[in-house]
């Protein structure tokens, strides 16, 4: 198997019936790019920038961030790189921000909510990203978007910083796509509206599942409810993909589900454009996809989305793919 995977390192991802899907990798630091390239990923689908801010006692400067982002973009040599703006809060704390303790951190003041309120932090990161954009194929993604107002505000701040840099004669790419994570059910439900304004979606199933099922992703006692294959989750994913494609936008997925062998045939059938996963999952996924037919998968998806429970979905996938 290892030998079979190795042969796929420099190949595109093509299904048995000739359809191309993009396989990207998730990273947390510039050092992770090595593994991305060694495993033949076609891009970075999620760069979690939180690590730049963690394990230290003050915020990273614009210059520090600029260097990290530029390094990733340069090493990826023009391949797409989706960098997510700060997604702190929930399980990821920053002690030096001195934020009050909350009853429900996963439902609290985090990610884009914090960035829109403490705009100095957000603007510093955006400037670093914009400056780095001249060194590769950057796409910027906002996390935890719950409303269109949040997206519009975040985009507005980004455009303001861009204009400032342009006025300072700093070179900034003119082709930066601006997208959002779909990880809150309200955004999945309104994806037809979002699709008119964003350049792309990336479905964050790690959070989308916990918020849809009301089951904390860290809590063992309710882990039985954390169901990626629940038809409710699959229908939300379908809604998002259909809404995006209607507006000619692309949809990725950067939650764990994107690299899951049981989910992959379903996601192919639903028309997912980009699968972003841990680097070590890329070659196994490419191998799996090369044996699947997209037309077949589309047919089976109709059956799957009409099922009642996750268990039936798993059984069906195991028997039919
Ligand atoms: C997600 O929620 O699916 C995701 C990719 O983001 P994180 O795991 O960093 O919350
Ligand atoms: Mg998330």
């Amino acid at each position: 198997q290892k030998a079979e995977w190795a042969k796929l390192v420099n190949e595109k991802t093509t299904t048995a019936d000739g359809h191309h899907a993009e396989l990207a990798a998730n990273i947390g630091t510039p050092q992770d790019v090595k593994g991305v390239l060694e495993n033949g990923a076609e891009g970075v689908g999620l760069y979690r920038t939180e690590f730049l801010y963690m394990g230290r006692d003050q915020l990273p400067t614009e210059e520090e961030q600029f260097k990290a982002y530029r390094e990733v973009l340069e090493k990826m040599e023009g391949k797409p790189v989706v960098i997510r703006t700060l997604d702190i809060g929930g399980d990821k704390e920053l002690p030096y921000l001195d934020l009050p303790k909350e009853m429900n951190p996963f439902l609290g003041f985090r990610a884009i909510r914090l960035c829109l309120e403490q705009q100095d932090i957000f603007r510093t990161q955006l400037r670093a990203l914009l400056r780095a954009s001249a060194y590769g194929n950057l796409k910027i993604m906002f996390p935890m978007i719950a409303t269109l107002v949040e997206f519009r505000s975040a985009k507005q701040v980004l455009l303001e910083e861009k204009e400032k840099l342009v006025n300072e004669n700093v070179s900034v790419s003119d082709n930066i796509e601006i997208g959002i994570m779909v990880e809150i059910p309200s955004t999945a439900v309104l994806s037809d509206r979002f699709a008119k304004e964003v350049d792309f979606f990336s479905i964050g199933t790690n959070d989308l599942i916990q918020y849809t099922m009301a089951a904390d992703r860290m809590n063992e006692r309710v882990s039985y409810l954390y169901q990626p294959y629940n038809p409710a989750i699959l229908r939300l994913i379908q809604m998002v993909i259909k809404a995006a494609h209607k507006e000619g936008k692309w949809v990725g997925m950067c939650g764990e589900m994107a690299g899951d062998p049981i989910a992959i045939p379903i996601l192919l059938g639903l028309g997912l454009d980009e699968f972003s996963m841990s680097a070590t999952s890329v070659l196994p996924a490419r191998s799996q996809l090369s044996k699947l037919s997209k037309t077949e998968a589309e047919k089976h998806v109709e059956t799957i989305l009409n099922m009642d429970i996750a268990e039936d979905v798993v059984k069906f996938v195991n028997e039919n793919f």
Side-chain angles (χ1 to χ4, degrees):
Q1 231 180 2
K2 282 254 165 73
E4 186 205 324
W5 292 343
K7 274 190 259 162
L8 296 172
V9 171
N10 298 313
E11 300 290 317
K12 287 229 172 240
T13 309
T14 314
T15 60
D17 55 345
H19 170 81
H20 173 69
E22 188 160 310
L23 289 195
N26 296 347
I27 64 169
T29 69
Q31 289 78 49
D32 296 341
V33 174
K34 189 164 175 279
V36 173
L37 297 171
E38 282 169 1
N39 286 282
E42 293 151 77
V44 168
L46 169 64
Y47 175 3
R48 289 183 166 98
T49 57
E50 294 76 67
F51 297 101
L52 270 167
Y53 294 73
M54 288 160 57
R56 44 188 292 147
D57 52 19
Q58 58 188 11
L59 289 163
T61 63
E62 179 183 320
E63 202 57 27
E64 277 178 83
Q65 295 190 57
F66 164 68
K67 284 188 182 137
Y69 305 150
R70 183 184 61 188
E71 184 180 344
V72 171
L73 287 161
E74 282 182 341
K75 285 186 174 157
M76 289 304 292
E77 296 181 327
K79 295 188 188 75
V81 174
V82 180
I83 305 187
R84 178 175 75 182
T85 60
L86 184 61
D87 183 23
I88 212 67
D91 56 328
K92 300 170 222 129
E93 277 184 72
L94 289 187
Y96 56 83
L97 287 187
D98 249 340
L99 295 169
K101 276 257 170 288
E102 299 184 335
M103 287 261 271
N104 292 301
F106 274 112
L107 301 180
F109 186 62
R110 58 173 295 202
I112 200 70
R113 302 167 183 188
L114 185 148
C115 285
L116 288 173
E117 198 172 297
Q118 310 208 353
Q119 286 201 9
D120 46 336
I121 299 177
F122 193 36
R123 287 179 188 269
T124 302
Q125 178 170 41
L126 293 175
R127 285 177 68 89
L129 285 167
L130 288 161
R131 286 171 55 201
S133 71
Y135 298 86
N137 182 0
L138 172 66
K139 301 169 199 294
I140 296 177
M141 175 158 80
F142 302 126
M144 292 293 293
I145 294 285
T147 70
L148 271 154
V149 171
E150 283 177 332
F151 171 67
R152 290 173 188 156
S153 310
K155 183 175 172 180
Q156 173 67 27
V157 177
L158 176 67
L159 295 180
E160 282 169 21
E161 291 308 319
K162 182 177 173 193
E163 198 183 321
K164 282 188 214 163
L165 286 168
V166 170
N167 290 338
E168 293 163 29
N169 286 319
V170 177
S171 65
V172 175
S173 165
D174 261 323
N175 302 307
I176 309 172
E177 288 187 15
I178 306 174
I180 60 168
M181 303 255 326
V182 180
E183 51 188 343
I184 297 181
S186 61
T187 297
V189 171
L190 277 193
S191 52
D192 58 331
R193 303 306 164 89
F194 279 97
K196 295 183 194 299
E197 303 190 26
V198 304
D199 294 321
F200 66 92
F201 289 132
S202 187
I203 305 176
T205 49
N206 303 343
D207 279 313
L208 185 63
I209 297 167
Q210 88 164 341
Y211 294 132
T212 304
M213 306 298 296
D216 182 341
R217 67 194 249 195
M218 325 281 284
N219 186 336
E220 290 283 336
R221 296 189 72 179
V222 293
S223 63
Y224 72 97
L225 281 172
Y226 192 87
Q227 300 180 345
Y229 322 114
N230 187 295
I233 302 295
L234 301 177
R235 287 191 193 193
L236 281 179
I237 295 170
Q238 182 186 49
M239 271 178 82
V240 175
I241 295 173
K242 279 195 171 162
H245 288 175
K246 193 152 171 247
E247 298 294 331
K249 309 292 167 69
W250 63 272
V251 186
M253 178 179 287
C254 57
E256 287 302 309
M257 193 172 172
D260 170 355
I262 293 178
I264 284 173
I266 307 175
L267 299 172
L268 174 69
L270 288 171
L272 188 73
D273 301 295
E274 179 237 38
F275 300 64
S276 192
M277 57 193 71
S278 62
T280 49
S281 300
V282 169
L283 292 174
R286 184 167 294 155
S287 158
Q288 184 184 6
L289 281 160
S290 72
K291 292 166 194 146
L292 293 170
S293 146
K294 181 162 192 235
T295 320
E296 280 285 287
E298 281 169 355
K299 238 175 37 213
H300 287 323
V301 152
E302 300 218 7
T303 311
I304 290 171
L305 267 80
N306 274 307
M307 291 179 162
D308 295 336
I309 58 174
E311 289 78 357
D312 290 345
V313 172
V314 175
K315 186 158 176 280
F316 184 90
V317 170
N318 284 330
E319 285 168 1
N320 291 277
F321 287 103

